[in-house]
Every structure is written in structure tokens, then in C-alpha cells.
Amino acid sequence: MHKIVSSVVLTALAGSLALAYPAHANAATAVANASQQSAAAGTVREALLRAHLAFLSSDAVEGRGTGQRGGELTVTYLETQAAAVGLKPANNGSFRQPVKIAGVRSLPQKSSLGLVAGGQTLPLQFGADWVWGPGDAKPDHTLDAELVFVGYGIKALEEGWDDYKDMDVKGKVVVMMVNDPAPTAAEPKRFNGAGLTYYGRWTYKLEEAARQGAAGVLLIHTDASASYGWSVVQNSWDGPERFQLAEGKLGTGLQGWMTDASARKLFAASGQDLDQLRAAAEDKAFKPVVLNARVKGEARAEVRTLNEFNVAGIVPGTDPKLKDEVVVYSAHWDHMGKQGSEGDTIFNGAVDNASGTGALLAMAEQAVRNPAKRSQMFLWVAAEEQGLLGSAAYAAKPLWPIEKTVANLNLDSLNFVGLVKDVSIPGSERTDLGAMAAATAKSMGLQVAAAKPDLAGGYFRSDHFSFAKAGVPAFSVGAGHGWVKDVQASDAKQKAYRARYHQVSDEYDPNWDLAGMVQQAQFTLNLGRRVADAPNAPQWKAGDPFGKARSAVK
């Protein structure tokens, strides 16, 4: 009964919001007239997008937090609206796909875990010097494990690189650097040159250590290699709760980080020079180094298991030969929920990512009215802010066969500033989606924003990446920054958002000009329609490592 009442209330509120925020008809018309494809895909309605954005970022849904009441309200709203626009349930009559998640909180005050090096226990303080917790959703671990330095912790056969060579690390705790090896004069393109590869992401390193059978992982933090300060790590691990998947391929029993200063103390007490080992690890001939050190003691944590939900709806295809293939549009519905007890406690997440969530609902309305040859799925994933958990769970147990999923187009933090002359499509160049996106942009009178080296590994930090890892051509559609009007003021507005990112101040403003957001949503829908109607599905470019995953599932 509770869910039925919630659905009625949410539907009524959405309707009132639609009436409260009338359409910016001129902007919508301009976008529609710019593209012949819009006639086929349908024209995204600004009024509908605005209504969804306003509600999803309102205090009523409490910041859409994982494991919180606001998350459940959001899922109820999404499944109600998906049904209202005419999407078909994607999961055997349900719009919901359960995602089993573990909420983890380390308990250093009840633990005895420590590092012993050269026969001496190092005086490390949890939070200030190092952080740790379980990676396998289990509350208690007792460890007495040898430490092994494995350089960057990378095993990349296409690069001729193996940091684990000649070493069995089963039952050991591996210590490693983040980022990936720098290019050299002799090999300027190794590991994508100046750009970061997935091998450089700390998430990969945890995954590889688990594949190698390690008992645990300790990552060495520096501001430069991580691209953020130690406080970011400390706040993530020393807070009330972290989340991880509670089923499927889980991580090592122990996962954690240590500061650079702590690592130096550890290596020195072990009779090693950290700088010398770092330099040695830049060479593919590097071999693991066993440290005269151990991790000893008990690591305790509180663990609770909960079900979150992805929400997914289908627009069936019209072509008998192509309708069993699908194009997936995705956006994450979650944000950071309610935190703290004083002042403004709601992290509304208007731009991140009520904008993408609302845009998908507005796009779905048009897709239902204008079906394509291939089927189309609209997918709202859970727990992106916790490490792409919802999309990872979907990729592990897809509602549509992965081998029949031809593309994923993701939306995360849309343009709230105004109309632009360009569109950003980073990562699309890895597949045929790049050429299709460029053609779509041209048809809409847009330019493609100049590509920049991916120094921080942005391609690996949004939900499309879960699809890419599974072999599906995928990328996130960016906003572009070639403002049509008030260039300086628009630049200032965009830059000012950085101070609101992941803060309680990321709130909806009814005075926002959403013409650029509609434009971005329209481009995504038009591109999806181009893919859905194309005679051939997009493919990965030759040699791309994620293309191998595609070949494996065919």
C-alpha cells in the first residue's frame, strides 16, 4: 500500500511541477529546427525535463541517497514515470533490477591491525596516516601477511608489462603506486602517452590484486598520482559508511591507502628506498620486491546488506531483423543523500545528476512516440557515487544480452548554463560512435569540441565504463563550452559550479536557462536514433583493449 500511495503522490507532484515551469518554446524550437533527425527521434520537451529536474533535486527526495529513504522515493518516482510515458518493464514485468549492496564502516577503535617492519611496529594512525577496510563485504579479518611491493600493480600483456612476474602473491598483501608508467623518449605512446589508461585507476589495481589471489592491497597516495589530496581519501574511508557490491566478483579481504610519508617510513624500516623502487618500477623488467614487513592483527568493520535498484524500461524496435538488438541510454539517479545533523543536511544533486535523470525521462517520452528499428532501453542506475555499483551490477547481470547491446550513451551532469555551438564526445573516438556522433553534431549545426588528453582518466569514472568493460561501445555525452551568448558570464557560471560540486549548494534554480540541457539531451537522443536505425552496429577500433571483451562475448 505504501508504494501505491507514494506513486500517486509523486505522479501528482510531477504534474504540478510541469504546470509550474512552462516551456522555453523558442529554445526547444531552435534545437528541433537544427536537426532533421529530431523529426525522426522526436523533440525533447523542455517543460517536461524542467519538471523532472525540479522534483528530483527538491528536498522532498532528500538527496537521493544510497540506502536512504530518498533513494526509495526516487526509484518509486522513476518507475511511475517510466510507466506513464509508455516504457515497457525491462525485468520480467518490473521496472526494477535489484542491486545487492554492502554498507561498510571500518572500526579502527575495535581493531588491532598494524604494520610491522624491521621487527618494529610502525606508529600509524587510522585516518591521518592510513585507511583500510574489507573489500569482500565481510566484517572481520585476521591477518598475518607478508608485504610485497608490486610497482604499479599492472598486468597488461599488450604492453608487454607484468608487475607480478615470477611472484605468487596468494595470501600476501601487495603495496603499489597509483597511476600508470610514464611515457619515455623510446616509448612515447606507452600506456597512452600523456593520457591515463584504465591500468592507472585504483579500481583496476584492486581488481587485478583480487585476480592474483592477494589477501589485501595498500595503495600509496600522492596528490599528483591520485589527482586529489589525501583529505579526499580520508573522508571517503573515515566517514560513516562506504558501499560496495555484496555479490559477484568481490575484492580482497583488505583494501586501503597510505600516505606517501607513511609509505616512506614503511620502506625505510624494511631496508628499502622507496624512490629507488619507484624508479625501478618505471621499467617493464621490474620484478616484485618482498619487504621485510608484515600486516598483523584484526581488522573489524560493521557491514549491512541492502537492496538498491536500477530502473529500466524498453521501447521495442520495429524492424524484425534488428529489434532483438538494443541501444541503452543511461544516467545515475543517486546522489549523496542526507548527511549531518545541523544546518542544510540535504545534498540535492541538481546538476549531478538530477539533470541526466530527468533528461532520460524526457527523452523516453519521445522514443516511445517515435520507435526506432532497434529496441531502446532507458536505464537509471543506482550507486554511481559509490563507485559505479549499479552499472557494474547491470553489466554483470544484464537485462538484455550484452552481445545484443550495440551501444551505451550515458548522461551525467548536464549543461545548465545555456545554448552551445559544440558538443563534447570524449571517448567516442575509440569506436564507430565517434564518426556517428560527429555526423549527428553536423546535422544539428554543432561542432565537435576539440579532444584533450585524458589526464585524470575521466573515461573510466562514469557509468558508461561498466558497459565498455563488458565490450559494449560506450561513452558519456558532454556539454560543450562554446557558449552562444554571454560568453564571459556563461564561463563564470560554469566555473562557479565547481565550488558547488558534491556540496549541499548543488540546488535547482528555477531561473536556469535549460536550452543547453535540452540541446544536450536532444543530441543524445538523435545519436541514439542514428545508432538504432543504422544497418550495422558500431564496433571498437582495431587494437582497443575493450574490443577484446566484445570479441569474447560473441
Side-chain angles (χ1 to χ4, degrees):
M1 183 66 180
H2 169 72
K3 289 184 179 179
I4 296 174
V5 173
S6 297
S7 297
V8 172
V9 171
L10 292 170
T11 303
L13 182 52
S16 67
L17 287 168
L19 293 174
Y21 299 105
H24 290 195
N26 292 338
T29 302
V31 171
N33 291 341
S35 172
Q36 294 180 349
Q37 277 194 294
S38 297
T43 302
V44 175
R45 291 198 296 142
E46 193 261 10
L48 191 60
L49 197 164
R50 184 178 289 272
H52 292 310
L53 169 61
F55 176 67
L56 288 164
S57 59
S58 69
D59 284 358
V61 289
E62 302 175 353
R64 310 185 307 280
T66 298
Q68 297 184 8
R69 175 177 176 272
E72 173 60 23
L73 288 172
T74 303
V75 169
T76 301
Y77 179 81
L78 290 174
E79 63 182 352
T80 301
Q81 295 303 309
V85 301
L87 291 174
K88 306 298 183 184
N91 191 19
N92 296 318
S94 174
F95 288 104
R96 297 190 179 202
Q97 180 191 33
V99 180
K100 193 173 184 180
I101 292 175
V104 176
R105 183 168 73 94
S106 297
L107 300 174
Q109 70 279 10
K110 295 183 178 181
S111 304
S112 60
L113 195 70
L115 295 180
V116 178
Q120 300 295 318
T121 299
L122 299 182
L124 299 182
Q125 181 181 348
F126 186 92
D129 302 312
W130 71 331
V131 292
W132 42 261
D136 57 1
K138 296 179 181 178
D140 300 321
H141 293 83
T142 300
L143 292 159
D144 186 359
E146 195 171 42
L147 288 173
V148 181
F149 178 64
V150 293
Y152 284 101
I154 294 173
K155 190 179 182 70
L157 299 183
E158 71 276 11
E159 294 275 357
W161 200 278
D162 184 3
D163 284 328
Y164 289 92
K165 65 175 74 70
D166 302 328
M167 175 64 70
D168 183 356
V169 297
K170 290 183 175 63
K172 305 179 189 300
V173 173
V174 292
V175 183
M176 65 186 74
M177 303 180 290
V178 295
N179 217 310
D180 50 22
T184 65
E187 296 181 284
K189 297 297 184 181
R190 77 174 186 177
F191 289 98
N192 196 34
L196 190 73
T197 70
Y198 185 53
Y199 295 116
R201 291 283 292 141
W202 60 268
T203 49
Y204 160 79
K205 297 172 190 297
L206 299 182
E207 293 166 359
E208 187 60 47
R211 284 190 287 267
Q212 295 294 323
V217 184
L218 289 175
L219 302 168
I220 302 173
H221 174 273
T222 67
D223 290 3
S225 62
S227 77
Y228 42 75
W230 175 252
S231 62
V232 175
V233 177
Q234 183 176 357
N235 292 339
S236 296
W237 290 71
D238 199 11
E241 193 171 35
R242 294 180 298 109
F243 293 94
Q244 56 191 243
L245 292 178
E247 60 183 4
K249 295 180 180 179
L250 303 181
T252 58
L254 181 75
Q255 295 177 351
W257 292 72
M258 65 173 63
T259 65
D260 183 65
S262 298
R264 290 183 181 279
K265 293 177 183 177
L266 169 66
F267 279 67
S270 303
Q272 300 287 345
D273 186 301
L274 178 56
D275 288 332
Q276 289 182 0
L277 289 181
R278 277 176 166 149
E282 293 292 333
D283 193 297
K284 65 178 59 177
F286 169 82
K287 291 185 178 181
V289 176
V290 177
L291 302 178
N292 181 21
R294 304 184 74 84
V295 179
K296 299 185 70 172
E298 292 184 340
R300 298 189 180 279
E302 288 182 350
V303 178
R304 68 172 177 129
T305 302
L306 59 142
N307 271 334
E308 273 299 356
F309 298 92
N310 296 332
V311 179
I314 299 292
V315 180
T318 60
D319 189 303
K321 295 182 179 180
L322 296 177
K323 66 181 182 181
D324 64 336
E325 297 181 345
V326 71
V327 175
V328 178
Y329 307 90
S330 61
H332 73 90
W333 60 256
D334 67 301
H335 195 54
M336 300 169 69
K338 296 182 70 174
Q339 299 183 30
S341 58
E342 298 180 359
D344 187 353
T345 62
I346 297 177
F347 289 72
N348 300 81
V351 174
D352 181 18
N353 186 33
S355 62
T357 303
L360 248 63
L361 283 169
M363 291 159 57
E365 178 199 47
Q366 296 305 313
V368 169
R369 294 178 178 180
N370 305 278
K373 293 181 179 180
R374 288 182 175 86
S375 297
Q376 297 172 86
M377 177 186 291
F378 290 83
L379 174 65
W380 294 269
V381 294
E384 185 271 352
E385 301 288 5
Q386 309 302 327
L388 315 185
L389 300 186
S391 58
Y394 178 90
K397 294 182 178 180
L399 300 178
W400 200 285
I402 283 292
E403 65 272 17
K404 295 291 186 180
T405 304
V406 301
N408 167 240
L409 304 177
N410 187 60
L411 288 174
D412 191 348
S413 301
L414 272 60
N415 171 14
F416 67 98
V417 177
L419 282 173
V420 289
K421 302 173 185 177
D422 59 359
V423 64
S424 179
I425 53 174
S428 67
E429 74 283 353
R430 306 176 76 121
T431 71
D432 294 338
L433 288 175
M436 301 176 87
T440 302
K442 184 177 181 180
S443 74
M444 295 178 66
L446 295 170
Q447 300 174 345
V448 172
K452 299 178 181 179
D454 191 3
L455 301 179
Y459 184 74
F460 317 115
R461 298 187 180 193
S462 290
D463 286 305
H464 70 266
F465 183 57
S466 295
F467 285 86
K469 286 173 67 178
V472 177
F475 76 101
S476 289
V477 177
H481 296 92
W483 312 114
V484 171
K485 59 182 181 180
D486 299 329
V487 174
Q488 289 186 337
S490 296
D491 271 337
K493 186 180 293 186
Q494 178 62 40
K495 290 177 181 178
Y497 173 69
R498 297 173 188 171
R500 303 203 309 275
Y501 174 71
H502 279 201
Q503 304 299 317
V504 295
S505 52
D506 183 7
E507 297 181 323
Y508 169 71
D509 184 343
N511 293 314
W512 277 347
D513 176 0
L514 295 192
M517 193 175 294
V518 173
Q519 184 183 43
Q520 191 175 353
Q522 188 71 61
F523 170 84
T524 306
L525 184 62
N526 288 357
L527 173 57
R529 180 60 183 250
R530 182 183 291 271
V531 176
D533 284 343
N536 299 310
Q539 303 296 320
W540 291 91
K541 296 295 178 65
D544 193 287
F546 299 118
K548 296 179 181 178
R550 190 60 161 178
S551 299
V553 298
K554 287 187 175 180

